């Protein structure tokens, strides 16, 4: 039986794009309102130069878009497992280790949850992808160890982890009426994670579920990667991507790749980067694109452009085309985006997703026809091409949509209650 008193531990889903915090309470939904009445807090920090303070979530995006001077940081979770995690960046005129950025944001989640709960928490179950880093167990363990160190520094004495797709599975299990063999497809901002799990009403309250987990797998591909490919294929050619040099070589792609990647946008603004571009400008056959790039850099509009691309990706799930008005860069300039272009851009990524699911089914020795249900969760699980690819692999499975932004947090709250009371 679930307890009749509130849990003593939190479940935290620190996401690439959005984060949630769950706290199990009787007769109440687990997720805590983190910003106004919303259960999600966008995983964003804006360092406001004028007021010398960090701002979080939607307010951070608002102040940035309103033109306040400062530094916007997004997709912080992508730092885990990357070489950047051992380095530092400049924030409000001072050097700050990237690890401390993670602490600032996760600490804000803890602070807001404790304010709502009216109590402090010293135990937590953190969600984690099946792989922080593909094919590198050492780097993967370092990423988890980093989160442990961050959480302990924030005052959590007991820190444990649950795979994010398993947390989503346990949330879904609350609603089923019979046993099901379920493939959990969790497409988040930074990773795609999969779990093949046996679920049933009778198993809901069992503490040890290892025997019900047939296989787990994943690949380091998520919504931000979809954004990146859409940007590279549909937007960056307008800013010089693919331009020919007088030597007949192509313009280096690193600048455009950085602009298309949330956590590296600021690198393009660095003086060294701008000097290199200026030196390159006279060696390019047609300077139209690179001159637009200079205007974008001058306006520091990289994050604004990335938000426009992200919005286009979302809209292209329901419409056939979505144009981005780039008049702030050049009068009459438009990036014409279509679903066909988007699906072509992410085709290689979807092939890797299919490969990961096939590997998972093979490792479990399960015929795809035996899977009863595909449970979609995660903010990017609504991409039509992705769903079609998964459907083609599992011909007999019904498709269920979970709470794209809250399912993992709900499951982590349940897990925290079971582990810590």
């Amino acid at each position: 039986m679930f307890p009749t008193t509130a849990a003593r531990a939190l479940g935290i889903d620190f996401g690439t794009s959005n984060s949630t915090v769950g706290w199990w309470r009787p007769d109440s939904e687990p997720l805590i309102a983190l910003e106004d009445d919303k259960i999600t807090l966008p995983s964003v920090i804006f360092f406001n130069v004028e007021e010398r303070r960090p701002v979080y979530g939607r307010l951070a995006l608002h102040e940035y878009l309103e033109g306040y001077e400062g530094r916007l940081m997004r997709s912080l979770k992508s730092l885990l497992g990357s070489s950047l995690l051992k380095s530092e960046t400049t924030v409000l005129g001072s050097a700050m280790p990237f690890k401390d950025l993670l602490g600032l944001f996760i600490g804000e989640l803890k602070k807001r949850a404790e304010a709502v709960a009216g109590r402090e928490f010293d135990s937590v179950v953190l969600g984690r992808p099946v792989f922080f880093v593909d094919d590198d167990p050492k780097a993967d363990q370092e990423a988890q160890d980093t989160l442990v160190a961050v959480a302990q520094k924030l005052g959590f004495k007991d820190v444990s982890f649950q795979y994010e797709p398993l947390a989503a599975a346990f949330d879904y299990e609350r609603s089923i009426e019979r046993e099901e063999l379920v493939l959990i497809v969790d497409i988040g901002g930074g990773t795609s994670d999969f779990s093949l799990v046996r679920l049933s009403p009778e198993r809901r309250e069992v503490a040890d579920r290892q025997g019900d987990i047939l296989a787990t797998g994943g690949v380091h591909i998520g919504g931000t990667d979809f954004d990146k490919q859409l940007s590279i294929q549909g937007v960056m050619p307008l800013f010089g991507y693919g331009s020919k040099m007088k030597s007949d070589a192509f313009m280096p792609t690193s600048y455009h790749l950085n602009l298309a990647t949330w956590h590296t946008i600021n690198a393009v603004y660095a003086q060294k980067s701008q000097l290199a571009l200026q030196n390159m400008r006279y060696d390019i056959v047609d300077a139209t694109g690179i001159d637009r790039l200079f205007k974008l850099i001058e306006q520091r509009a990289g994050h604004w452009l990335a938000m426009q691309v992200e919005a286009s990706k979302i809209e292209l799930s329901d419409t056939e085309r979505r144009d981005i008005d780039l008049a702030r860069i050049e009068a009459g300039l438009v990036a014409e985006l279509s679903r066909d272009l988007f699906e072509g851009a992410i085709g290689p990524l979807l092939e890797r997703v299919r490969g990961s699911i096939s590997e998972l089914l093979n490792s479990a020795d399960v015929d795809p026809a035996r899977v009863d249900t595909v449970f979609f969760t995660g903010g990017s699980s609504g991409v039509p091409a992705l769903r079609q690819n998964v459907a083609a692999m599992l011909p007999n499975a019904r498709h269920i949509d979970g709470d794209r932004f809250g399912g993992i947090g709900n499951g982590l709250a349940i897990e925290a209650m079971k582990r810590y009371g």
Side-chain angles (χ1 to χ4, degrees):
M1 293 288 293
F2 284 152
T4 56
T5 57
R8 55 177 292 265
L10 292 176
I12 294 181
D13 175 22
F14 170 44
T16 302
S17 300
N18 292 279
S19 295
T20 62
V21 179
W23 177 38
W24 176 266
R25 292 149 289 169
D27 304 318
S28 178
E29 286 300 311
L31 294 183
I32 292 173
L34 295 175
E35 189 172 23
D36 300 325
D37 60 345
K38 297 178 176 63
I39 60 169
T40 59
L41 184 70
S43 303
V44 182
I45 306 177
F46 178 65
F47 293 93
N48 186 308
V49 168
E50 184 178 330
E51 300 183 16
R52 308 291 298 177
R53 61 180 171 83
V55 189
Y56 303 89
R58 294 170 186 82
L59 182 58
L61 292 170
H62 172 75
E63 290 196 4
Y64 169 78
L65 292 173
E66 285 295 303
Y68 286 85
E69 184 180 354
R71 176 87 182 269
L72 186 76
M73 306 291 289
R74 189 175 178 185
S75 296
L76 301 173
K77 188 177 181 180
S78 299
L79 295 169
L80 290 165
S82 77
S83 58
L84 285 175
L85 197 58
K86 297 178 181 178
S87 59
E88 56 188 26
T89 188
T90 301
V91 172
L92 300 179
S94 301
M96 177 180 287
F98 278 109
K99 186 185 296 185
D100 289 356
L101 283 172
L102 298 178
L104 275 178
F105 188 80
I106 296 173
E108 185 68 14
L109 293 174
K110 182 176 188 284
K111 175 184 172 183
R112 295 188 184 204
E114 290 177 339
V116 172
R119 53 156 294 175
E120 295 182 353
F121 292 94
D122 62 7
S123 300
V124 65
V125 176
L126 291 166
R128 59 151 293 166
V130 175
F131 301 114
F132 282 110
V133 185
D134 293 341
D135 302 320
D136 191 340
K138 181 180 177 182
D140 189 86
Q141 186 61 48
E142 287 178 353
Q144 179 168 301
D145 291 345
T146 297
L147 277 182
V148 171
V150 167
Q152 289 176 337
K153 189 175 180 179
L154 292 171
F156 287 115
K157 297 177 182 177
D158 297 313
V159 181
S160 60
F161 291 86
Q162 179 57 277
Y163 289 140
E164 290 157 358
L166 290 179
F170 298 146
D171 180 48
Y172 170 59
E173 192 174 43
R174 294 192 294 164
S175 67
I176 66 175
E177 297 179 353
R178 61 177 179 82
E179 181 174 308
E180 298 180 18
L181 182 58
V182 183
L183 176 67
I184 306 295
V185 177
D186 172 21
I187 313 297
T191 57
S192 295
D193 293 300
F194 316 104
S195 291
L196 188 64
V197 191
R198 186 177 291 107
L199 303 177
S200 73
E202 295 76 25
R203 291 178 167 87
R204 288 174 191 154
E205 297 167 19
V206 176
D208 184 1
R209 300 296 300 274
Q210 286 303 309
D212 294 328
I213 302 167
L214 278 66
T216 57
V219 64
H220 205 259
I221 291 171
T224 56
D225 299 288
F226 297 160
D227 296 343
K228 179 178 180 177
Q229 294 306 314
L230 179 59
S231 182
I232 289 293
Q233 298 297 324
V235 179
M236 290 303 154
L238 298 174
F239 294 92
Y241 178 76
S243 292
K244 276 289 190 73
M245 310 285 285
K246 291 176 182 176
S247 64
D248 209 34
F250 289 102
M251 176 182 175
T253 61
S254 59
Y255 308 97
H256 301 100
L257 292 173
N258 280 338
L259 267 179
T261 306
W262 274 105
H263 62 281
T264 58
I265 289 172
N266 288 302
V268 186
Y269 303 149
Q271 185 177 19
K272 181 180 178 181
S273 176
Q274 293 191 54
L275 286 173
L277 281 169
Q278 288 165 2
N279 290 333
M280 192 186 306
R281 194 251 184 218
Y282 298 101
D283 291 328
I284 291 180
V285 175
D286 182 353
T288 303
I290 195 172
D291 286 344
R292 290 172 181 155
L293 182 58
F294 285 134
K295 290 179 183 177
L296 185 146
I297 292 172
E298 180 183 352
Q299 294 185 24
R300 290 187 170 246
H303 288 94
W304 169 83
L305 183 59
M307 290 177 197
Q308 297 301 312
V309 172
E310 181 183 34
S312 298
K313 173 197 68 178
I314 294 169
E315 283 199 28
L316 289 172
S317 290
D318 300 313
T319 62
E320 292 298 322
R321 63 174 293 140
R322 200 256 190 182
D323 296 341
I324 299 176
D325 184 354
L326 298 170
R328 65 181 289 176
I329 306 297
E330 179 183 303
L333 185 64
V334 174
E336 299 179 351
L337 305 179
S338 67
R339 186 183 292 183
D340 284 346
L341 183 149
F342 175 50
E343 292 182 351
I346 66 172
L349 301 181
L350 297 183
E351 181 65 34
R352 289 177 60 193
V353 167
R354 286 198 302 271
S356 183
I357 293 175
S358 291
E359 185 177 334
L360 175 142
L361 293 170
N362 288 336
S363 68
D365 194 23
V366 169
D367 187 322
R370 286 179 50 205
V371 177
D372 299 307
T373 305
V374 180
F375 182 77
F376 289 101
T377 188
S380 294
S381 62
V383 173
L386 181 142
R387 298 168 73 92
Q388 291 161 9
N389 273 262
V390 174
M393 299 179 70
L394 303 162
N396 296 331
R398 62 176 186 146
H399 297 170
I400 300 293
D401 283 299
D403 182 339
R404 289 183 187 172
F405 299 102
I408 293 171
N410 283 331
L412 291 173
I414 294 170
E415 192 70 10
M417 177 270 295
K418 288 182 178 180
R419 291 185 186 183
Y420 301 116

